[in-house]
Amino acid sequence: MNLKKVALRESWISPGHRLCAGCMAPVIIRQALYALDKKPIVTNATGCLEVATTIFPYTAWRVPWIHNAFENAAATASGIEAALTAFKRKGELKEDIPVIAIGGDGGTYDIGLQALSGAIERGHDFLYLLYDNEAYMNTGIQRSGGTPFTAWTTTTPVGTKIKGKVQWKKPIAKIVAAHRQIKYVATASPAYWLDLMQKVKKGVDVKGPAFIHAISTCPRGWRTDTKYSVKIARLAVQTCYFPLWEYENGKYKLSTPSKAIASNPEKKLKVEEFLKMQGRFRHLFKPRKDVETLNYIQEEIDKEWEKLLRLTGEA
Amino acid sequence: MISQQVLGMNGDEAVAYAVKQCNVDVVAAYPITPQTIIVEKFSEYVANREVHTEFVPVESEHSALSACVGASATGARVFTSTAANGLALMHEIVYIAASLRLPIVMAVVNRALSGPINIHCDHSDSMAERDSSWIQIYTEDAQEAYDSVIQAFKIAENHEVLLPVMVTLDGFFISHTLQNVSVLPDKEVLSFIGERRVVPEIDVGGKKFKLKLDPVQPLTFGPLDLYDYYFEHKRQQVEAMKKAPKVIEKVSREYASLSGRSYGNGLVEPYKLEDAEVAVVCLGSTSGTAKYVVDDLRKRGLNVGCLRVRTFRPFPAADIKRNLTGKEVVGVLDRSISFGGLGGPVFTEIEALFSDETEKPKIINYVYGLGGRDMSPQLIEKVFMELNELKGKPLPKDTLRFSGLRE
Ligand SMILES: Cc1ncc(C[n+]2csc(CCOP(=O)(O)OP(=O)(O)O)c2C)c(N)n1
């Protein structure tokens, strides 16, 4: 990847789309597309990104792009890849065209999980890029399988008896990594944009299915200040709430920002630092600090981090 | 007319054989009785590399049609097949495929929709998709199923049409019944439909872009389309459906001169209707039995005939009206029902056709064969006899009747 060249190239997702200020989804997509030297065919699940980039007759996409439905980005990608394979078999197509499926957390953890798992099991050569804003944002902030424990959403309100989401987030990237056919899995954060780009490049270059799970700050849904979106995406990594790692050839490996924490555990910030910037966790801090719950969350984060250290051979 | 090989095949095998001959790039399908043989048979062609097709053995019907959408938008010639619950699971994408104007061909092996769960034939599955903007061809036997799949690609890919096509065959009655099927030589099929699908070109800021997903000429498919344009796009689908009958008739004529086989004008098939006073209207395999009964009753001096509706979508209104005008009594046989509606879907449309006529046939609706119940010659004869009774009498109150039902 030649960054100088990249900097001079036009972005393959144009400005002028209608995503909110501070939304990290278009940042993730812009960087992901900058990582490629050839235009891919992109298929996008229903969700904020799809809706806000393509209000007819406008489009922000400078790559061939198709939206089919909410739960079938991976299945649509299967079909695109199958068509390209058939054209090659007939000798009508020579070059490799990357195929990328993009979905939000709802379209990936929940309604689209079956199609995703099926496409991976069949071994299609495509990259699935999950931008995880941790709720159904397009329909107005409802909980998903990717919404974290205690987070407020409109379907996990902070009531007098039940406060926010009762369940933990699904380990989606590890679920994907459990598929024998998967060739590459990585987590990413737009705050570490070069790391994200390198991972996208790897994911596209491997032959077979690849999956990238990117954390995507959503100021509307997370109740955060738009100017802190990148900072929050960085804190997610620094607190080990969202560690960065890769999985390849059956092995887990920490990525540089998380490896730095593994080597210098004192660099690990308390998860509170990540939570307290977000209105969706306000009930953990106001009217009084809910020390018990915060301690519990910290313990769970620590346990998960320890598990990851063992998986990556860092423990 | 060309010399043809005769193969002993059931309806499903005949469909798979036709698909093999059509140079299809992508088949994505999921098994469901009574369609499974199509998928199995086609998998064999793939395993033996008798086809260049990429077969996508998806994990659900929803994904089957979703993959077909992706492949077709990439410019591929695409086929899938399903039945009943599988088609219902696809429902969301059935509409999307049509609105994207993707010429996908799908064989629907008609089976009763659950519940209760049942594996046998009725038309509740495909009738539930009748408003989706897919062309629907209902076939009478395995031979016609074979012929119609080939015709379907030519119809769907016609630039005046660009609509997906459903070819239906009655579960078990056609899908699992062995028949002598005449097949065209491979190269004749390909010269008839074209070696490969030709994608139309569209104008993008003065440049010609191929209407497909292509990195060289990037286009956006399936954008958010709100009240300012959605309606116009739906109107375009109405126009495409309006243009389809001419194309279907033309394809039917061309196919007849190639193969020697035709099914009426491709839209409707009248049988001994001209001088008939009493007629039945039906779809699918029942028409084979109805024709047999017509012959039998005519020998016994009754003036009866039959009209088979081959394309239910587009609905061949003019052809049906022309064929039924002047008949005294008409029985419309429906193998599905619209609960709470006036009757079956075929009946309601035919009834509507004559709504503004003063001189119109007495039209009775017979709902029959739900869940695969056999429509025997005896039952059809009984229908004809009841209809015959109505000659010279006023239209009775009970226009919705059930044939072959224990009350
Ligand atoms: C089958 C189906 N169910 C529900 C919806 C409504 N819907 C559209 S987008 C969406 C949520 C999308 O959430 P996510 O995938 O997390 O993406 P985001 O909008 O947060 O970026 C829902 C529920 C739909 N379009 N289709």
Side-chain angles (χ1 to χ4, degrees):
Chain A
M1 208 179 321
N2 182 334
L3 281 184
K4 259 195 204 150
K5 246 165 103 183
V6 166
L8 292 173
R9 198 181 82 191
E10 80 168 358
S11 168
W12 288 343
I13 179 165
S14 77
H17 54 69
R18 275 92 149 203
L19 283 153
C20 306
C23 172
M24 281 295 102
V27 176
I28 292 166
I29 302 308
R30 185 193 62 206
Q31 294 311 117
L33 293 175
Y34 268 140
L36 309 179
D37 40 27
K38 285 194 230 187
K39 287 196 177 178
I41 297 178
V42 173
T43 179
N44 200 162
T46 312
C48 286
L49 178 69
E50 166 264 329
V51 160
T53 52
T54 67
I55 306 177
F56 190 87
Y58 303 103
T59 180
W61 296 88
R62 291 176 176 143
V63 294
W65 182 97
I66 182 168
H67 161 245
N68 188 347
F70 185 21
E71 63 285 67
N72 62 359
T76 310
S78 307
I80 296 167
E81 189 255 12
L84 298 174
T85 305
F87 296 159
K88 280 186 189 161
R89 192 170 291 135
K90 277 198 296 191
E92 291 175 1
L93 180 73
K94 295 275 179 290
E95 85 227 78
D96 286 326
I97 300 173
V99 178
I100 300 183
I102 304 173
D105 46 292
T108 308
Y109 285 77
D110 295 346
I111 200 164
L113 184 61
Q114 172 185 317
L116 172 62
S117 176
I120 294 170
E121 185 268 337
R122 293 189 298 274
H124 294 282
D125 186 13
F126 77 118
L127 168 68
Y128 192 102
L129 177 55
L130 156 64
Y131 69 98
D132 185 1
N133 55 28
E134 304 197 310
Y136 301 160
M137 296 311 181
N138 189 45
T139 35
I141 322 167
Q142 293 82 33
R143 62 94 82 191
S144 80
T147 303
F149 178 63
T150 68
W152 162 90
T153 69
T154 56
T155 50
T156 54
V158 177
T160 52
K161 293 282 184 323
I162 307 169
K163 297 187 189 303
K165 194 182 169 191
V166 185
Q167 301 85 359
W168 288 79
K169 211 173 153 71
K170 266 191 216 178
I172 189 71
K174 286 183 183 161
I175 291 170
V176 169
H179 291 71
R180 269 192 94 98
Q181 294 78 0
I182 195 81
K183 287 289 182 288
Y184 180 73
V185 182
T187 61
S189 160
Y192 302 92
W193 55 270
L194 189 56
D195 176 74
L196 184 151
M197 287 168 69
Q198 284 160 343
K199 286 169 172 171
V200 168
K201 172 129 182 59
K202 260 194 184 174
V204 164
D205 285 348
V206 291
K207 200 99 198 91
F211 183 82
I212 290 175
H213 178 191
I215 187 89
S216 185
T217 319
C218 169
R220 287 287 303 130
W222 294 10
R223 300 299 200 229
T224 55
D225 194 322
T226 56
K227 69 175 180 244
Y228 294 134
S229 289
V230 174
K231 184 175 180 169
I232 292 167
R234 185 176 301 118
L235 277 168
V237 177
Q238 291 171 327
T239 57
C240 297
Y241 169 81
F242 195 86
L244 299 185
W245 51 266
E246 290 178 289
Y247 173 82
E248 224 178 342
N249 303 319
K251 285 204 175 67
Y252 284 88
K253 195 175 110 199
L254 283 183
S255 310
T256 313
S258 289
K259 191 156 165 93
I261 298 171
S263 321
N264 282 306
E266 69 277 11
K267 279 197 172 165
K268 182 169 172 237
L269 301 183
K270 283 177 81 178
V271 72
E272 221 182 291
E273 299 300 315
F274 171 68
L275 303 175
K276 73 178 184 203
M277 296 190 70
Q278 307 175 45
R280 63 177 171 158
F281 296 115
R282 210 172 83 118
H283 50 289
L284 298 179
F285 300 94
K286 286 192 176 132
R288 55 160 194 92
K289 198 162 165 180
D290 182 353
V291 179
E292 197 188 339
T293 307
L294 283 168
N295 283 344
Y296 172 62
I297 295 174
Q298 186 64 59
E299 278 166 30
E300 290 297 310
I301 297 283
D302 292 347
K303 270 195 235 162
E304 284 300 312
W305 173 242
E306 290 300 323
K307 255 201 254 172
L308 186 63
L309 290 179
R310 283 196 296 278
L311 269 180
T312 52
E314 303 282 346
Chain B
M1 209 187 96
I2 215 150
S3 92
Q4 292 165 63
Q5 213 187 335
V6 177
L7 301 175
M9 294 192 285
N10 63 36
D12 278 359
E13 289 168 337
V15 166
Y17 196 87
V19 177
K20 174 176 100 136
Q21 293 185 303
C22 286
N23 222 3
V24 172
D25 299 304
V26 175
V27 170
Y30 192 83
I32 180 168
T33 306
Q35 157 270 24
T36 315
I37 302 167
I38 300 176
V39 188
E40 291 173 339
K41 200 72 211 165
F42 199 79
S43 303
E44 285 176 25
Y45 297 142
V46 172
N48 299 332
R49 268 282 163 258
E50 293 175 65
V51 287
H52 81 278
T53 314
E54 188 63 12
F55 176 58
V56 190
V58 280
E59 81 300 331
S60 77
E61 288 88 351
H62 193 284
S63 285
L65 195 53
S66 299
C68 286
V69 164
S72 188
T74 311
R77 182 173 282 163
V78 174
F79 174 84
T80 187
S81 65
T82 191
N85 299 46
L87 184 57
L89 189 60
M90 282 180 183
H91 176 72
E92 182 193 28
I93 315 302
V94 167
Y95 274 69
I96 292 169
S99 85
L100 287 169
R101 308 294 297 276
L102 299 173
I104 298 164
V105 172
M106 164 153 67
V108 174
V109 185
N110 286 119
R111 156 176 161 173
L113 274 179
S114 297
I117 192 163
N118 176 298
I119 57 168
H120 292 282
C121 174
D122 73 31
H123 295 163
S124 52
D125 53 0
S126 53
M127 281 299 168
E129 306 301 333
R130 67 186 185 272
D131 296 335
S132 65
S133 172
W134 281 60
I135 289 170
Q136 293 192 327
I137 300 175
Y138 288 79
T139 64
E140 187 181 298
D141 59 15
Q143 179 70 62
E144 191 184 347
Y146 167 84
D147 295 331
S148 300
V149 167
I150 296 168
Q151 294 177 15
F153 283 107
K154 198 168 165 80
I155 295 162
E157 292 174 10
N158 184 299
H159 291 180
E160 293 283 298
V161 179
L162 288 180
L163 290 172
V165 178
M166 248 175 234
V167 174
T168 82
L169 50 156
D170 285 346
F172 293 102
F173 297 117
I174 304 178
S175 65
H176 285 60
T177 307
L178 203 65
Q179 193 186 331
N180 279 335
V181 177
S182 299
V183 298
L184 294 164
D186 294 355
K187 68 172 191 343
E188 292 300 333
V189 172
L190 282 187
S191 68
F192 182 72
I193 63 167
E195 287 268 342
R196 69 169 339 286
R197 188 182 138 203
V198 178
V199 176
E201 289 189 330
I202 57 161
D203 187 88
V204 180
K207 282 192 218 140
K208 291 264 182 250
F209 273 32
K210 288 211 169 72
L211 189 57
K212 63 171 185 174
L213 294 166
D214 184 351
V216 182
Q217 307 168 323
L219 291 172
T220 289
F221 283 69
L224 178 69
D225 194 19
L226 301 173
Y227 38 63
D228 41 3
Y229 287 99
Y230 179 93
F231 206 172
E232 282 73 22
H233 291 141
K234 293 294 118 181
R235 173 58 198 248
Q236 288 179 355
Q237 287 175 241
V238 172
E239 286 306 306
M241 270 290 176
K242 265 195 193 160
K243 287 178 182 160
K246 269 212 169 68
V247 176
I248 296 168
E249 283 186 72
K250 183 161 177 280
V251 168
S252 172
R253 277 196 306 274
E254 289 169 3
Y255 192 82
S257 62
L258 175 70
S259 67
R261 287 183 297 278
S262 60
Y263 306 98
N265 62 354
L267 303 166
V268 296
E269 186 195 16
Y271 186 76
K272 302 194 174 169
L273 257 187
E274 250 160 57
D275 62 339
E277 298 162 295
V278 173
V280 297
V281 180
C282 59
L283 271 56
S285 64
T286 304
S287 127
T289 321
K291 287 171 186 168
Y292 167 83
V293 175
V294 164
D295 287 347
D296 191 43
L297 292 178
R298 278 191 170 253
K299 272 187 221 141
R300 288 146 63 184
L302 288 176
N303 243 348
V304 294
C306 167
L307 179 70
R308 176 161 73 97
V309 178
R310 182 169 180 256
T311 63
F312 188 66
R313 288 289 179 269
F315 187 68
D319 297 86
I320 294 174
K321 199 163 181 182
R322 185 165 18 84
N323 276 288
L324 296 182
T325 297
K327 309 295 157 220
E328 195 183 336
V329 195
V330 170
V332 178
L333 307 188
D334 264 296
R335 201 163 204 146
S336 66
I337 188 162
S338 167
F339 298 105
L342 292 179
V346 188
F347 168 78
T348 27
E349 302 228 4
I350 291 182
E351 178 72 21
L353 262 184
F354 287 97
S355 61
D356 53 359
E357 301 292 332
T358 41
E359 285 293 306
K360 61 176 184 180
K362 288 177 274 246
I363 306 172
I364 307 291
N365 189 194
Y366 284 90
V367 171
Y368 76 99
L370 300 191
R373 182 152 302 171
D374 194 25
M375 189 60 163
S376 63
Q378 293 73 24
L379 283 174
I380 297 182
E381 181 176 326
K382 190 161 169 258
V383 165
F384 269 121
M385 290 308 185
E386 286 177 19
L387 296 173
N388 205 49
E389 285 288 297
L390 294 176
K391 281 198 299 191
K393 295 197 186 125
L395 181 71
K397 284 221 153 47
D398 62 330
T399 55
L400 172 60
R401 298 176 181 182
F402 299 91
S403 175
L405 176 76
R406 286 189 297 272
E407 290 285 1

